DNA sequence: TCATTTATTTCATATGTCTAATTAAATGAG
DNA sequence: CTCATTTAATTAGACATATGAAATAAATGA
């Protein structure tokens, strides 16, 4: 059985019942007070007083109850509560190779706008990034009748090594500078709370909020794009390691002295799975037309494989085997309830074929219990941006709830 | 820098300041109230009232302050507090292949007795295990002038797949039965609180309490005995996975279609590192005398390698390379602050040679920050038993502190 | 209309924590 | 020896949070 956790969305319950109650309402979408009490083990009396505060603050509202079937019709009817979407609006930005994607969400998590723009350069200096961000955000908000100042927070996703709690970028392929306190800069530029994280973690957060990870306390997200990334959720929280550079799934070694990786080492998983790795193999095999872009080449290669070309097929099969091995190692170490394979290139089905999953299961330590579930998600940059927005939402929620403690009832 | 955590020993601080204060006293061994206040950010007033309770309960006592040098001599002198060792006594049992080891500790964690007995059988049925445990524990306690009823709790370490929170054994090589609620049985037999865990986790706990893991919040312990095990500490807590079968480091794959493992799969790390794997190689190479026990053979093989025999040397080198690769993968995924290599067979230095550690570092994702520290510990079954006792101590501590909340001041 | 049922609220109370003020125990200057 | 000074620990009063028990609210069905 999966392992549902009360406090999904990583709100820290130790700060008291308010977080717990609020996150329960958010997780359940609509829920009556008495159900909150039951689920959180907080007394009904306390639930009443906490929800009263939340309603007074405008964070939560009552809503007529869904006439759900199969329910006892006697006694005073329950009144459902839900998060009031209008109370806060957040934006999330995902910077990828050649474009930036913006998602604007209300406080429930419903999308209220999106926007995309090509990147003017592949590498910014920080001032450039800040002013570009502001400009993009201005356009994005205007496109749905808002201003930047209507937002309560902004989440930003970058590739690279990032100390998320501090909002500090050790290194990012998209930045000229190293070791930058990007959060401080953006907070000043935008005059808003800003939250920054590694983009792989943001996919994990998107899954946690909007995808298959809802109400699952331990799961892992693997993404294959230009590189191979991983996000780890343990006990409802993103696990980040001690130096902020954990979860480098793409650079786990699957072969001693194996294929050369762009990181300079040998035998990395990425060196067998990433686009450049597949193309390298194909080039050696001379199956490709020299005129195409790498994107096109990859599509062509895939088509050949599907059409039955043995060489092309072998290339994907080899990649699939390595992938199965890498995944199995994750399972053997983490024993997660769920593995989510997510990314745009998910169309290269060979990697996600049942066959690969089956290979993976073969390589997992055999116990009485069933192997973890594997689910596949074809998500593009927009979902990553929503993950960034969700990250901002967590931060904004914390701030909003903390404010209540201040001016208590 | 390492990452010291306030709440080592995995006491859950969300249950309030009492746990935090107590675990601080335990972690610091002896500490004045004002230092507790500073470290925990709890006000001095609260520290006073909490410590007063703890003293009244007999869990803590005042002790004249160490005349530590370099300290201001003005003002009212601090009074140190320490855990009162006599308040509770716990025992830990580690069942290994052919013997059981018992450690008896006071509430501070100081050893007050130990005992060892050969196992009458390599596989018990549960009733047999229960009565054997009781018998062993009786002798062990008597040997230091105690009785079983003087204990406040017992920790038990077994190999196998164990749901520690529930005290449920899914499978253990030492038990004939599968899926046994061992805790209930032992609790009834011994009339004491009993805590059961996988033995690899217990080494991790021993390191956390008595070894290199003190005050480190994220670290990993790798043990090489007959098999290869791993214990993971994240955020001060043992990570157990969702099915209780995580951390199967020995069965992570380091080679696709590689060497055959006793688990039936191919390419497991264990199939390159464990005694049987080394001996298998040696047998093929015919370097060994057929008359010896496997223990003796291994020692002989090691001696040959040290003496310069190329074949023997190669065997250890290959094992070392695989080990380095496995370790590097752990680092790439977890990014722990510290890796502890622990076990009795640590004498096979080839595996723990600087060279292997250096190989590992080469395989780790390169970032600005230094690679995690690696430390080596040569520990025998006694330390594992102490880990089991420490686990019991955590449980007993929780019970004792909860009791205070009941009959409040 | 009213007894019954179930959900929610009110109220008195308990707990845990904090700040500010007070007391305790030392040192060192006169 | 006395007393101002310094630092540690305690006490008192205030406040926030949570709870159980009792009261109230809103429905159903006899």
């Amino acid at each position: 059985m999966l392992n549902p956790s009360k406090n999904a969305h990583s709100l820290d319950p130790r700060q008291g019942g308010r977080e717990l109650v609020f996150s329960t309402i958010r997780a359940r979408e609509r829920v009556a007070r008495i159900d909150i009490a039951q689920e959180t083990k907080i007394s009904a009396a306390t639930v009443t007083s906490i929800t009263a505060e939340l309603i007074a603050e405008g964070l939560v509202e009552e809503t007529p109850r869904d006439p759900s079937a199969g329910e006892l019709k006697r006694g005073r009817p329950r009144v459902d509560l839900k998060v009031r979407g209008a109370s806060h609006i957040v934006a999330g930005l995902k910077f990828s190779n050649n474009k930036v994607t913006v998602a604007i969400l209300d406080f429930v998590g419903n999308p209220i706008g999106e926007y995309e723009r090509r990147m003017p350069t592949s590498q910014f200096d920080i001032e450039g990034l800040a002013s570009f961000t502001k400009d993009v955000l201005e356009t994005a908000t205007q496109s749905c009748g808002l201003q930047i100042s209507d937002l309560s927070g902004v989440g930003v996703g970058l590739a690279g090594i990032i100390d998320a709690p501090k909002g500090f970028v050790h290194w990012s392929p998209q930045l000229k500078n190293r070791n930058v306190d990007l959060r401080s800069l953006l907070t000043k530029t935008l005059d808003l709370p800003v939250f920054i994280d590694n983009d792989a973690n943001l996919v994990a957060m998107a899954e946690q909020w909007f995808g298959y990870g809802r109400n699952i306390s331990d799961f892992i997200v693997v993404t294959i794009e230009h590189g191979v990334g991983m996000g780890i959720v343990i006990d409802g929280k993103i696990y980040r390691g001690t130096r902020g550079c954990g979860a480098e799934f793409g650079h786990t070694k699957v072969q001693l002295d194996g294929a050369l990786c762009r990181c300079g080492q040998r035998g990395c998983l990425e060196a067998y799975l990433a686009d450049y790795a597949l193309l390298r193999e194909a080039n050696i095999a001379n199956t490709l037309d020299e005129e195409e872009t790498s994107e096109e080449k990859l599509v062509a290669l895939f088509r050949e494989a599907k059409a039955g070309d043995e060489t092309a097929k072998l290339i994907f099969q080899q990649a699939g085997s390595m992938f199965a091995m890498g995944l199995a190692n994750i399972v053997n170490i983490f024993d997660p309830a769920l593995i989510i394979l997510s990314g745009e290139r998910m169309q290269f089905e060979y990697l996600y074929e049942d066959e690969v999953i089956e290979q993976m299961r073969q390589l997992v330590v055999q116990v009485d219990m069933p192997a973890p579930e594997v689910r596949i998600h074809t998500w593009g940059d927009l979902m990553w941006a929503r993950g960034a927005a969700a990250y901002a939402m967590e931060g904004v929620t914390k701030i909003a709830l903390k404010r209540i403690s201040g001016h208590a009832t």
Side-chain angles (χ1 to χ4, degrees), chain A residues 107-161:
Chain A
F107 209 48
V108 174
N110 292 324
I112 61 180
E114 52 198 70
Y115 175 73
E116 206 177 278
R117 190 191 293 182
R118 283 192 62 78
M119 300 271 263
T121 165
S122 64
Q123 245 195 3
F124 287 98
D125 58 21
I126 46 166
E127 287 79 15
L129 183 69
S131 62
F132 179 68
T133 302
K134 183 170 187 176
D135 195 55
V136 165
L137 213 46
E138 230 145 37
T139 320
T141 46
Q142 276 164 20
S143 77
C144 45
L146 296 167
Q147 300 180 305
I148 290 186
S149 59
D150 292 325
L151 300 176
S152 301
V154 175
V156 176
L158 286 173
I161 295 175

Side-chain angles (χ1 to χ4, degrees), chain A residues 7 9-12 14 208 216-217 219 232-240:
Chain A
N7 65 324
H9 305 162
S10 77
L11 283 175
D12 190 343
R14 101 190 46 177
Q208 195 176 30
I216 310 266
S217 65
F219 66 94
I232 303 174
V233 175
I234 293 181
D235 206 16
K237 287 183 314 213
I238 301 280
Y239 177 75
R240 293 195 166 85

